[in-house]
Amino acid sequence: MEWRDEGIIIGARRHGETSLILEAMTAAHGRHLGLVRGGRGRRMQPLLQPGNRVELLWRARLDEHLGIFQVEPLELNAARLFDSAVAVFGLQTLAAHLRLLPERDPHQTLYDTLELIIGHLDDPVSAAELLIRFELLVLDELGFGLDLSQCAATGVRDDLAYVSPKTGRAVSRQAGSQWQDRLLALPAFLGKGAGRRGSPAEIDQAFRLTGYFFGRHVYEARGIEPPEARAAFLSALGRQFATKGESAA
Amino acid sequence: MPKSISGPEIERLIQLLAKVPGLGPRSARRAALHLIKKKEQLLGPLASAMAEAVDKVRVCSVCGNVDTADPCSVCTDPRRDGTTLIVVEDVADLWALERAGAMNARFHVLGGTLSPLDGVGPDDINLKSLVSRVAAGGVNEVILAVNATVEGQTTAHYITDQLSGLGVKVTRLAHGVPVGGELDYLDEGTLSAALKSRTAF
């Protein structure tokens, strides 16, 4: 068995004295693991850092085997992200979300979004907005997608301000006004064609929204804790907004 | 079934030696044979040194270093600058920095890094003791000498967050070109980090 694909490294675990088990999100083969012989060597270590985009050649005798990766660099992003707390915690959060998906299940849209986010992880506002969209996509891929296109009650497509915590469908400001304390806020920048950036408060609302559905459908259902990296990312983001003089989310 | 060529004691010695980093089953067999041949000069003293180490070696309750005394000799050395604390991932890193002899400071050994993939969280490493050590006062600067890996830097940012508000200066090691390194052979990540942290010449 053999294939060649490009991928983004999301983790690596030591294996023996000289090798690593590499975990990568690939474009056409989903989240895939493989052994990298000599991966703990001085020459290979900088290449095998999470966030780096690489070309992977996977070989195994049988499809169900772990297999062996041969790795060639395409874009080494890791060192660029080291200085920013938002970037490193963002990277760990992305990896934690990807680990919710089954192995070897292709998710081309998620891969494309992941590539885009990694390019913007050192810009906190862009990173936050893209991460929210990534979380919505992950929920969708897991079968718990939110329908934010039209109001669940009236069918209107404008002025959507809430999301029903039960159905995950959007509700317009007018239809939801009576139950607003029971509904989740839908920040305007997430609406279709909003064409504007979210404020720190809106970004906070959006993370609460995705966090609620991750908690309800994924973490509670699987009996796992939410990733600590996500909380650390939000805390770092709050500090970043506070330093910039904006009201922290 | 392969025939046994030595007694169970020798087989056990080989099996245990094979678990030492750098030794595989073949090299363990060679090492065992060498030890047996030099029984009086090597095997005996090695066995007694190991027995003594088992008996006396302990982890320092202050910094996490290994020594035969608790607190360790680094923590009790009065010639060291107690106002600077160097945080390292592992005892091997402490030894490496001590070999370099660049700073006469005190240390704190984390015993690992935050690693979600391996399930290592903040409670699994020696972090609480670091915060309480700094909070106790007397420390002006904390140098984060963690590895230049994503996990190392995640840990560094987490520590910085934990130490914020304690009034200490938190610094980290520079990332860049190693001595003897040729630019042509360096990865672009290291090169861009080196350019970013350039200094006046």
Side-chain angles (χ1 to χ4, degrees):
Chain A
M1 308 297 300
E2 182 178 317
W3 52 253
R4 192 181 282 275
D5 195 0
E6 71 166 57
I8 292 170
I9 297 172
I10 59 170
R13 187 183 295 169
R14 289 175 179 195
H15 183 80
E17 281 178 46
T18 56
S19 301
L20 278 179
I21 293 177
L22 192 75
E23 187 182 25
M25 184 67 188
T26 62
H29 297 84
R31 184 168 67 87
H32 211 292
L33 279 83
L35 184 80
V36 181
R37 290 215 171 105
R40 289 181 62 192
R42 201 178 288 179
R43 196 180 63 83
M44 291 294 280
Q45 282 274 37
L47 168 62
L48 302 177
Q49 291 301 309
N52 287 344
R53 194 163 68 88
V54 291
E55 185 169 279
L56 297 161
L57 172 66
W58 181 80
R59 278 200 188 109
R61 193 168 62 80
L62 295 173
D63 194 36
E64 59 265 31
H65 284 179
L66 172 67
I68 291 172
F69 272 144
Q70 253 179 42
V71 190
E72 291 290 332
L74 290 176
E75 197 179 357
L76 301 179
N77 299 303
R80 177 171 56 83
L81 309 176
F82 280 173
D83 288 341
S84 159
V86 170
V88 289
F89 289 126
L91 196 56
Q92 304 277 19
T93 310
L94 288 165
H97 287 334
L98 289 169
R99 284 184 195 118
L100 296 170
L101 300 167
E103 275 181 45
R104 304 184 178 196
D105 196 14
H107 298 276
Q108 181 73 49
T109 324
L110 270 183
Y111 178 79
D112 294 340
T113 318
L114 178 68
E115 196 181 336
L116 182 72
I117 299 178
I118 285 176
H120 291 87
L121 264 182
D122 42 359
D123 168 14
V125 180
S126 306
E129 285 189 19
L130 287 166
L131 185 58
I132 291 160
R133 291 184 194 281
F134 186 81
E135 290 192 339
L136 289 170
L137 269 176
V138 174
L139 281 170
D140 198 36
E141 297 283 333
L142 290 170
F144 306 109
L146 310 188
D147 180 3
L148 308 179
S149 59
Q150 61 177 33
C151 174
T154 61
V156 298
R157 291 175 183 273
D158 300 322
D159 202 24
L160 302 173
Y162 307 104
V163 175
S164 161
K166 282 189 181 169
T167 63
R169 296 179 66 189
V171 180
S172 70
R173 192 177 307 281
Q174 197 186 4
S177 57
Q178 288 180 59
W179 297 281
Q180 57 175 306
D181 50 338
R182 287 195 232 160
L183 297 170
L184 298 162
L186 173 63
F189 79 95
L190 281 183
K192 259 193 179 161
R196 67 177 186 84
R197 302 193 89 174
S199 67
E202 285 178 321
I203 286 172
D204 184 50
Q205 281 178 344
F207 275 115
R208 278 177 210 274
L209 179 72
T210 51
Y212 174 82
F213 287 102
F214 265 106
R216 182 178 162 191
H217 294 305
V218 186
Y219 304 134
E220 281 171 29
R222 296 188 187 187
I224 52 174
E225 289 294 314
E228 283 174 10
R230 190 177 187 269
F233 171 80
L234 294 178
S235 156
L237 192 66
R239 283 197 303 276
Q240 191 81 34
F241 286 145
T243 357
K244 281 188 174 177
E246 299 171 56
S247 59
Chain B
M1 207 173 138
K3 274 192 243 174
S4 176
I5 50 166
S6 50
E9 294 81 6
I10 296 175
E11 283 302 324
R12 185 163 157 69
L13 176 66
I14 294 167
Q15 278 172 12
L16 288 173
L17 282 172
K19 291 184 180 174
V20 175
L23 295 186
R26 242 168 217 275
S27 40
R29 198 165 284 278
R30 283 176 59 209
L33 195 58
H34 183 73
L35 288 170
I36 292 162
K37 278 181 185 168
K38 307 240 174 191
K39 195 175 162 188
E40 303 302 323
Q41 304 99 306
L42 206 54
L43 187 57
L46 183 67
S48 56
M50 282 180 158
E52 207 174 348
V54 167
D55 193 37
K56 290 186 177 168
V57 169
R58 60 207 67 206
V59 175
C60 174
S61 56
V62 179
C63 71
N65 184 19
V66 287
D67 202 350
T68 50
D70 183 15
C72 69
S73 48
V74 174
C75 289
T76 50
D77 186 349
R79 290 165 300 174
R80 284 180 187 268
D81 174 14
T83 62
T84 307
L85 203 59
I86 303 178
V87 178
V88 291
E89 285 182 19
D90 198 68
V91 176
D93 301 330
L94 187 156
W95 289 355
L97 287 169
E98 278 296 272
R99 276 201 309 274
M103 277 197 97
N104 195 27
R106 294 201 199 279
F107 286 88
H108 193 89
V109 183
L110 292 173
T113 48
L114 301 175
S115 171
L117 189 58
D118 295 319
V120 181
D123 294 336
D124 302 311
I125 57 176
N126 204 6
L127 244 174
K128 276 184 188 159
S129 59
L130 170 67
V131 177
S132 50
R133 209 173 157 190
V134 175
V139 177
N140 296 334
E141 183 179 0
V142 174
I143 303 171
L144 300 173
V146 289
N147 292 337
T149 59
V150 170
E151 284 178 357
Q153 297 308 306
T154 306
T155 311
H157 283 294
Y158 188 84
I159 294 172
T160 311
D161 185 27
Q162 298 291 303
L163 298 181
S164 64
L166 294 180
V168 286
K169 181 180 169 189
V170 181
T171 54
R172 68 158 171 84
L173 297 187
H175 300 149
V177 184
V179 174
E182 292 176 40
L183 298 190
D184 193 24
Y185 289 95
L186 285 179
D187 65 285
E188 53 262 50
T190 308
L191 280 174
S192 59
L195 275 171
K196 250 198 266 177
S197 39
R198 67 191 182 276
T199 52
F201 193 61

